[in-house]
Amino acid sequence: MSEIKSLFFSMTSAVVLLVIFAIGSGAATIIESYYDTKSAWAAVYGASWFALVQVLLGINLVYNIFRYNLFRNEKLPVLIFHLSFLFMILGAAMTRYMGFEGTIHIRENETSNAVFESIARIEIAAEKDGQIYSNSIPKQITSLGSNDFNLLLEIDGKKANLSFEGYYKKAQTEYYEADKGDPLVRLTVSSSDSKEEISLQAGETREVGGVSFAFDAQPLLENFVKIELKDGKFYINSNRNIEYFTMTTNEKGEYPKDKEIEFLPMQLYTVTDINFVPKSLLTKAAKRVVSKNGEFDALVANLTFEGQTQQLMLYENSYIPAKARINGVLFNVYWGAKMVELPFSLKLNDFELKRYPGSNSPMSYSSDIIVEDARSKDYPYKIYMNHVLDHDGYRFFQSSYDTDEKGTILSVNKDPGKIPTYIGYFLLGLGFLLNVINPNSRFRKLAKLIDNESTKGGKKVAALIAVLLLGLNFSSLKAEDFLPHISKEHADKLARLIVQSPDGRMKPFDTLSKEVLNKIHRGESIGSLNSNQAMLSIMVTPDFWR
């Protein structure tokens, strides 16, 4: 029994738990910066081990309150310290298991109460003989850690299983030359006012800008480009002259009409006013998903039912679910945020975006909304940075906006753990204060001990400090003596010059020089030079500063 107490309830175990908690929090910050927020949440914040550390810390604190009888008056500051951490742990637990986070998207002059949760879910639904069966699980699919899951769905006594196969961040579909497959031609086609990509399998045609592109098929328009595959090579011909431009050699020319020519990559072709270039020419094409620069993350899952398996591609938060039909049963699978309806609505009257003068960089943006609640009176409110809306326990923050600047995206938060956490912060500050003013506190005892020890060697320490200060002062004086002379009056003229910083903001040179010098020197002056003189000196005498 004593070994169990020593393992879980000793001060040593408390220190170890605090160190684990600190390391975990630091690791989550690093994960979030290198990957994304949901990876940090899955690996640390939402992980069972992180919750267990906090539970053990709470049990340890409660045990030691009674073990050391901290309810005495002389132990009041220590008791308050322990209680502060207990309140913060309680607040964290309430936020984690009872809180709510999500986003709401509203277009101008529209009303919405639909909030999408921040934690994704995987849902599967099936229809058989007019009856709907469904099941879902919350699951964060991330770049870090295990993404395995098995989602079961019972259908009329039989079980379907959805299992994890692969995850692709910013997914894109890619075609490649495989050992087996069908021929595929992918073209980038453009005119004076448009550009698009088209894919053609054998026997297909596509019409773009009055020109029919036909792959091993009969064209449907008067002007056409016919594409044929012969002996592993692609050829084209047209009823119009074909201009070409070879990108590698800058060679230009023209092929006569009705002449069959080899279709080559890295060549730009023009028929009438339509330009086209082969993006990929594949004799045996296969498709795969890769992590590149796509708009959505993708999840590949295997759906198994009655001994048959189909592979599904799910795109996060896509409104169109992945579909599969196995033995007459239609399955719909969705991966993304769950929609929650608020007991009130928000109407967006106007969204305003302000930019820095002379640039397209956003300076600020705000949403003029009306809160519509049948239980109370409607009222207008303006949401912008550091000006949040609080209503019915929910908090709304300005988060993002639509690219056409006619819609807003607000972060939504409902945190029942906020009050216990704030109480914990208050008790922590009060505990610090009482420890400082209480003459019997351990803090005051240690302070007296340090003071007595320092008095014994005070003269030696004072002499050492004096020598160090003299040395530092001498060094600084010598450094100042060697700095280049820059006229302050001349630098002041430069300070009033309006410049554009890398983030697009227009600002006086004086502001920019202070920012740069603070970053490289951690001060607004260096020696006898102010920030403007220093920056001017760096520009006119760069050899000195190298």
Side-chain angles (χ1 to χ4, degrees):
M1 187 68 179
S2 60
E3 292 179 354
I4 295 177
K5 287 184 177 180
S6 176
L7 179 62
F8 291 105
F9 305 129
S10 67
M11 293 301 295
T12 303
S13 65
V15 171
V16 170
L17 289 170
L18 284 171
V19 169
I20 295 173
F21 182 83
I23 292 174
S25 300
T29 303
I30 295 172
I31 292 170
E32 187 169 6
S33 62
Y34 275 91
Y35 294 95
D36 47 33
T37 301
K38 65 180 183 180
S39 295
W41 182 265
V44 181
Y45 297 134
S48 300
W49 69 266
F50 197 66
L52 179 62
V53 168
Q54 296 175 73
V55 170
L56 292 177
L57 267 173
I59 294 173
N60 187 290
L61 289 169
V62 172
Y63 175 81
N64 282 287
I65 287 174
F66 291 95
R67 177 185 177 186
Y68 294 102
N69 191 19
L70 300 184
F71 298 101
R72 294 171 290 164
N73 289 334
E74 61 271 20
K75 294 292 184 180
L76 181 61
V78 182
L79 174 63
I80 291 175
F81 258 130
H82 282 65
L83 291 177
S84 71
F85 284 105
L86 286 173
F87 270 102
M88 284 188 277
I89 291 173
L90 174 63
M94 292 176 66
T95 300
R96 169 69 179 86
Y97 296 104
M98 300 169 61
F100 171 83
E101 286 186 0
T103 57
I104 182 171
H105 177 220
I106 319 172
R107 298 285 292 176
E108 285 186 350
N109 299 315
E110 292 185 3
T111 302
S112 177
N113 69 336
V115 176
F116 290 89
E117 290 184 337
S118 58
I119 297 179
R121 301 181 68 86
I122 299 174
E123 301 179 7
I124 181 172
E127 181 181 358
K128 183 180 181 182
D129 299 332
Q131 187 171 355
I132 303 297
Y133 306 85
S134 64
N135 193 15
S136 67
I137 55 170
K139 181 65 179 178
Q140 286 282 32
I141 306 296
T142 68
S143 303
L144 190 67
S146 174
N147 291 318
D148 290 341
F149 65 84
N150 282 283
L151 178 57
L152 297 177
L153 178 65
E154 188 167 333
I155 306 170
D156 196 20
K158 300 176 182 179
K159 290 185 178 180
N161 180 54
L162 185 72
S163 60
F164 175 79
E165 176 65 26
Y167 168 65
Y168 301 91
K169 188 175 179 62
K170 296 183 178 180
Q172 279 187 338
T173 301
E174 181 180 79
Y175 293 90
Y176 66 100
E177 191 74 47
D179 295 331
K180 57 181 180 179
D182 297 322
L184 179 70
V185 174
R186 300 183 68 223
L187 308 175
T188 300
V189 184
S190 64
S191 63
S192 58
D193 58 356
S194 65
K195 179 180 178 180
E196 63 178 297
E197 293 184 0
I198 64 174
S199 297
L200 295 170
Q201 292 183 321
E204 292 183 340
T205 64
R206 282 287 300 274
E207 287 66 52
V208 180
V211 176
S212 180
F213 291 87
F215 180 26
D216 284 343
Q218 288 299 317
L220 302 179
L221 299 178
E222 180 182 352
N223 297 325
F224 62 83
V225 174
K226 294 180 67 175
I227 306 170
E228 296 180 326
L229 176 61
K230 298 178 181 180
D231 300 325
K233 293 183 178 181
F234 289 87
Y235 297 88
I236 61 171
N237 69 77
S238 174
N239 63 334
R240 296 280 186 147
N241 292 343
I242 303 177
E243 298 178 7
Y244 71 90
F245 172 74
T246 305
M247 301 178 191
T248 54
T249 63
N250 292 331
E251 179 187 356
K252 295 181 179 180
E254 185 177 83
Y255 298 117
K257 64 180 181 179
D258 299 325
K259 180 180 179 181
E260 188 174 76
I261 57 173
E262 187 176 356
F263 200 18
L264 298 174
M266 299 303 292
Q267 278 199 346
L268 175 66
Y269 300 90
T270 303
V271 172
T272 62
D273 60 345
I274 301 298
N275 304 310
F276 60 97
V277 62
K279 188 172 183 179
S280 54
L281 302 171
L282 305 172
T283 58
K284 297 176 181 178
K287 184 171 67 172
R288 62 190 173 195
V289 178
V290 294
S291 296
K292 280 193 175 179
N293 297 310
E295 186 177 355
F296 299 102
D297 294 351
L299 166 66
V300 179
N302 293 321
L303 176 61
T304 303
F305 181 63
E306 294 186 339
Q308 297 185 35
T309 300
Q310 285 192 26
Q311 196 168 85
L312 302 177
M313 178 73 68
L314 312 176
Y315 290 95
E316 188 173 19
N317 293 324
S318 172
Y319 293 105
I320 303 175
K323 298 179 180 290
R325 185 177 293 275
I326 302 178
N327 290 344
V329 179
L330 178 63
F331 292 89
N332 288 282
V333 183
Y334 171 77
W335 170 43
K338 179 183 178 181
M339 190 189 76
V340 177
E341 291 188 355
L342 298 176
F344 55 92
S345 300
L346 301 180
K347 180 180 180 180
L348 178 64
N349 282 340
D350 182 53
F351 176 80
E352 182 181 16
L353 174 66
K354 296 181 180 178
R355 291 183 167 85
Y356 290 108
S359 77
N360 288 323
S361 299
M363 182 173 66
S364 66
Y365 41 91
S366 60
S367 302
D368 288 312
I369 59 103
I370 294 178
V371 180
E372 299 179 348
D373 193 337
R375 302 166 298 176
S376 61
K377 187 178 179 181
D378 297 352
Y379 62 92
Y381 198 85
K382 188 167 187 174
I383 304 173
Y384 53 89
M385 187 67 68
N386 298 325
H387 193 254
V388 303
L389 166 66
D390 288 285
H391 186 81
D392 197 27
Y394 294 89
R395 304 198 83 192
F396 297 85
F397 304 82
Q398 185 66 62
S399 175
S400 186
Y401 55 90
D402 293 344
T403 54
D404 63 358
E405 301 175 21
K406 293 187 179 296
T408 187
I409 299 174
L410 305 175
S411 295
V412 187
N413 175 282
K414 188 172 186 178
D415 185 6
K418 179 174 62 176
I419 294 177
T421 302
Y422 286 166
I423 293 174
Y425 292 157
F426 171 76
L427 292 177
L428 184 63
L430 181 61
F432 270 121
L433 178 63
L434 293 179
N435 265 283
V436 171
I437 65 177
N438 183 7
N440 298 319
S441 69
R442 184 169 180 79
F443 174 81
R444 292 292 295 271
K445 291 177 182 178
L446 290 174
K448 289 178 182 178
L449 180 63
I450 294 172
D451 185 56
N452 292 334
E453 290 294 328
S454 62
T455 303
K456 296 178 182 178
K459 294 181 179 179
K460 294 181 180 179
V461 173
L464 179 60
I465 292 174
V467 171
L468 289 173
L469 289 175
L470 285 172
L472 290 172
N473 187 49
F474 177 76
S475 300
S476 63
L477 287 173
K478 290 297 181 183
E480 290 179 20
D481 290 341
F482 286 98
L483 288 175
H485 174 70
I486 298 294
S487 169
K488 187 177 184 302
E489 291 74 17
H490 189 72
D492 288 342
K493 294 178 180 179
L494 177 65
R496 294 191 291 272
L497 184 68
I498 302 299
V499 296
Q500 187 173 25
S501 62
D503 61 2
R505 293 184 60 184
M506 305 300 292
K507 60 182 71 173
F509 184 85
D510 177 69
T511 302
L512 183 64
S513 66
K514 288 177 180 177
E515 291 175 353
V516 173
L517 200 61
N518 265 305
K519 189 167 186 178
I520 63 177
H521 182 62
R522 297 191 178 182
E524 295 187 358
S525 63
I526 178 169
S528 60
L529 304 180
N530 62 29
S531 60
N532 298 310
Q533 291 173 292
M535 293 303 296
L536 183 57
S537 175
I538 291 172
M539 288 188 286
V540 298
T541 57
D543 292 338
F544 174 84
W545 296 93
R546 284 195 176 100

